[in-house]
Amino acid sequence: MLSAVFPGTVFTLRALLTSSTASAPTLSWLLGIPALLLLFIALPVAGVVANVFFAGGSWEVLQHLASTVLWQASLNSLLLAVLVALGVCLVGVCGAWLTTVYDFPGRRWLVHALLLPLAMPAYVMAYAYTDLLQFAGPVQSGLREFFDWQKGDYWFPEIRSLPGAAFLFVFVLYPYAYVLARASFIERSQLMTDAARSLGCTGWQAFWRVSLPLVRPAMVVGAALAVMETLADYGAVAYFGIMTFTTSIYRAWFSLGDRAAAAQLATALMLFVVLVLVLEQRQRGRARYDATGQSVKGQSPKRLYGWRAVAALLLCLFPVVVGFALPAAVLLVLKWQSDTPAWDPRFLDWIGNSVTLGLLTAGLAVLLAVFMTHAVRQNPRPWVLSAQRLAALGYAIPGAIIAVGILIPLATLDNWLADGLRKSFGWNGGLLLTGTIVALIYAYLVRFYAIAAQSVESGYARITPAMEWSARSLGLSPQQVLRRVHAPLLSRSLLAAALLVFVDVMKELPATLVLRPFNYDTLAVVAHQFASDERLAEAALPALAIVVSGLIPVLLLSKSLSKSG
């Protein structure tokens, strides 16, 4: 069935497994392992695509959606994607540039603080801002009381709208661009900027014409990750009542009861993301963005004084306040004003479950991304590149759809294992895969592999081919090059990849709800359950616990990105 549904997948796997016979023997394992891992990642994606051809979906459902909400949902998704991409690039690159190149009061603290919104789930942020800015919230109530206004006497922006959702997504997701752009700014050559200044360029011209092109790969990767996260989001847009492509998928599945139609819509969403990525790569063309091997480490940032220092401080402080401090303060106030118990003995179990899943998935995802990216670098043929891109498509599919794609093959394998164990040993082991965290980690790897892969690719883009050629000329094998040359140079990118995957696993909701074992709750699950019931006071503590659990890796990454301590 796989060959009929996705012939390119089978061709790619066959090419990966057999092509090494014409290459050096040392490349066999390097191409064979990624081929197996590709099958591991691509199987649920192929399972979703298979529904387009074999599940017998009802075209009446698709026609109903197309005639009612699908076109508006597609337009809303496109507008959200554009607004979020522009906003993430602007906020993330601005913060990375200011904290890397300039010194101003509070810079050392802001280097760390700018990462804090990573730990704030978008749906929790939506609940907090709705409570803060709605008509009965403290902001509008205070304005009416202060100015003696009545309803209809004033205009106030509606947070539960498409611009409001884009605003929230930008300030939740900008750390994707910030982490990668700051790593690129740190590792770029300061000599290039100095040369531009010596040729008569102003500081702004040197940034626009020299520094920004060097950081473009990282900026595009950050924007692409943010856009895919936005397109796959369900909690925030559903709470705001915004019809998007993803909410249409869930409507077809849960409201109309047609899983095949939902999978067909998910496939269309995946193809749209693929088209965007292909267009970006073609627009980039043959341009390369290798660094010179010299970094800005050890060079003092330029000190700002007066209004420039104040402006830089406010520009970097604003995303932290909007994306973390303000919603966290709202949740704390709600918790303080409530009469619910201050502590729940189940919190330790929820935290332990979340951290365990995050650590296991982050380690496996980074290892998988390094093997795949190194294979592409050693053998950059079209079918190897296709294998890398195919393995990253899972991020474009909503988590609940991936969960269905995983449940089908794992349930079949579970039944086969149970029958084999019962016949051979007389032991009824029950559900060994779908009843454990194995299925959850599998879903997380499919969903978040793209984050690790994009971060590792961004790190590899800054390693000049000359370094690798020199190592190979000295007799090192590809695996020795990976261990002794690439690994030290990729340390920042690997840490960034692990952090991004870890925090995303901590926040992930749809797949966790479907695949988690019985009575196995995470912080994200309980926060969503409380918030969906409008029990924001009870949702505050598990939501804030997600932030606390992610603080240590956030601080570790911040320290590694800071060039001056």
Side-chain angles (χ1 to χ4, degrees):
M1 179 180 293
L2 180 63
S3 60
V5 176
F6 219 145
T9 303
V10 177
F11 172 78
T12 300
L13 293 173
R14 185 183 299 115
L16 280 170
L17 291 169
T18 61
S19 64
S20 58
T21 57
S23 305
T26 54
L27 286 178
S28 300
W29 71 271
L30 193 62
L31 297 178
I33 292 178
L36 297 177
L37 295 177
L38 171 62
L39 179 62
F40 176 82
I41 295 293
L43 184 60
V45 178
V48 173
V49 177
N51 283 273
V52 176
F53 303 98
F54 298 101
S58 172
W59 288 105
E60 288 76 10
V61 173
L62 292 178
Q63 291 173 356
H64 170 72
L65 291 173
S67 62
T68 54
V69 299
L70 195 54
W71 289 110
Q72 185 62 46
S74 301
L75 179 60
N76 289 342
S77 296
L78 181 61
L79 289 176
L80 266 179
V82 172
L83 292 174
V84 170
L86 294 176
V88 162
C89 289
L90 177 63
V91 177
V93 174
C94 178
W97 172 255
L98 290 175
T99 56
T100 303
V101 177
Y102 298 106
D103 188 18
F104 51 89
R107 181 187 71 89
R108 291 175 180 265
W109 174 78
L110 285 167
V111 166
H112 307 282
L114 280 165
L115 291 171
L116 292 177
L118 271 176
M120 184 67 66
Y123 52 86
V124 172
M125 192 173 178
Y127 299 142
Y129 272 98
T130 299
D131 181 82
L132 180 67
L133 301 177
Q134 64 184 342
F135 181 80
V139 173
Q140 293 199 53
S141 298
L143 289 175
R144 290 195 301 272
E145 182 177 351
F146 184 81
F147 292 104
D148 196 22
W149 286 340
Q150 301 295 326
K151 183 178 181 180
D153 293 342
Y154 66 98
W155 175 85
F156 195 85
E158 176 58 58
I159 186 64
R160 300 182 71 168
S161 62
L162 191 144
F167 177 82
L168 295 187
F169 280 125
V170 167
F171 287 98
V172 167
L173 302 175
Y174 79 84
Y176 285 133
Y178 169 77
V179 168
L180 301 175
R182 181 168 167 79
S184 294
F185 280 134
I186 288 175
E187 296 180 4
R188 86 192 198 291
S189 175
Q190 182 67 30
L191 296 177
M192 293 185 178
T193 302
D194 294 340
R197 297 295 296 272
S198 68
L199 293 174
C201 291
T202 63
W204 170 253
Q205 290 173 332
F207 167 78
W208 186 259
R209 300 173 62 181
V210 178
S211 298
L212 190 60
L214 289 175
V215 82
R216 181 179 178 272
M219 181 177 65
V220 171
V221 167
L225 291 173
V227 166
M228 286 191 287
E229 185 71 23
T230 300
L231 292 175
D233 178 82
Y234 175 76
V237 292
Y239 183 73
F240 277 2
I242 302 171
M243 183 59 65
T244 65
F245 210 94
T246 302
T247 57
S248 299
I249 294 173
Y250 281 80
R251 180 177 180 180
W253 186 9
F254 294 109
S255 299
L256 302 179
D258 196 326
R259 192 191 71 189
Q264 291 163 0
L265 292 174
T267 304
L269 178 61
M270 181 178 65
L271 293 177
F272 172 76
V273 174
V274 171
L275 177 62
V276 172
L277 296 177
V278 169
L279 290 177
E280 189 283 326
Q281 191 169 11
R282 285 187 175 275
Q283 188 273 334
R284 188 192 308 178
R286 295 179 178 269
R288 293 190 61 85
Y289 300 91
D290 294 325
T292 63
Q294 302 176 1
S295 71
V296 299
K297 185 176 182 179
Q299 300 187 18
S300 300
K302 181 180 179 181
R303 182 72 180 180
L304 296 178
Y305 300 95
W307 69 268
R308 291 183 175 85
V310 174
L313 173 62
L314 294 178
L315 284 174
C316 293
L317 190 60
F318 182 72
V320 179
V321 172
V322 173
F324 175 76
L326 191 55
V330 171
L331 295 174
L332 284 172
V333 169
L334 286 171
K335 184 63 179 177
W336 178 266
Q337 293 177 345
S338 70
D339 54 359
T340 58
W343 176 257
D344 191 317
R346 296 172 295 175
F347 279 149
L348 292 180
D349 292 334
W350 297 337
I351 292 174
N353 294 341
S354 300
V355 172
T356 299
L357 292 171
L359 291 176
L360 290 175
T361 306
L364 291 173
V366 170
L367 185 64
L368 173 59
V370 169
F371 274 119
M372 290 290 289
T373 308
H374 189 61
V376 170
R377 190 175 179 92
Q378 294 296 319
N379 194 1
R381 299 180 183 178
W383 41 263
V384 183
L385 295 172
S386 299
Q388 172 74 325
R389 301 305 175 210
L390 180 63
L393 294 183
Y395 198 68
I397 303 179
I401 303 298
I402 288 180
V404 172
I406 287 175
L407 277 176
I408 297 173
L410 282 191
T412 303
L413 181 59
D414 252 344
N415 292 329
W416 180 81
L417 288 175
D419 291 340
L421 291 173
R422 186 171 54 254
K423 292 178 181 178
S424 301
F425 304 101
W427 177 60
N428 186 9
L431 299 177
L432 301 178
L433 300 177
T434 54
T436 65
I437 64 172
V438 172
L440 262 180
I441 294 176
Y442 190 3
Y444 292 153
L445 286 174
V446 176
R447 179 77 171 85
F448 299 124
Y449 165 77
I451 296 178
Q454 295 277 28
S455 299
V456 172
E457 286 179 14
S458 179
Y460 262 111
R462 298 190 297 273
I463 299 178
T464 59
M467 297 180 186
E468 186 172 334
W469 297 337
S470 298
R472 294 299 299 273
S473 68
L474 295 174
L476 296 183
S477 64
Q479 53 266 42
Q480 290 174 325
V481 171
L482 175 62
R483 184 177 68 255
R484 300 173 60 180
V485 179
H486 291 171
L489 295 175
L490 289 172
S491 58
R492 287 192 180 94
S493 296
L494 296 183
L495 185 58
L499 170 72
L500 294 173
V501 173
F502 177 85
V503 177
D504 266 337
V505 169
M506 296 284 289
K507 297 186 296 183
E508 205 285 329
L509 181 63
T512 310
L513 287 171
V514 176
L515 294 173
R516 75 187 194 280
F518 178 74
N519 204 27
Y520 191 90
D521 290 329
T522 65
L523 293 170
V525 169
V526 296
H528 170 73
Q529 289 173 343
F530 286 140
S532 298
D533 295 335
E534 299 296 337
R535 298 157 64 186
L536 291 179
E538 296 176 69
L541 202 54
L544 292 173
I546 297 175
V547 179
V548 175
S549 301
L551 259 180
I552 293 178
V554 165
L555 294 178
L556 288 175
L557 176 62
S558 301
K559 185 177 181 179
S560 74
L561 294 178
S562 178
K563 70 180 190 306
S564 56

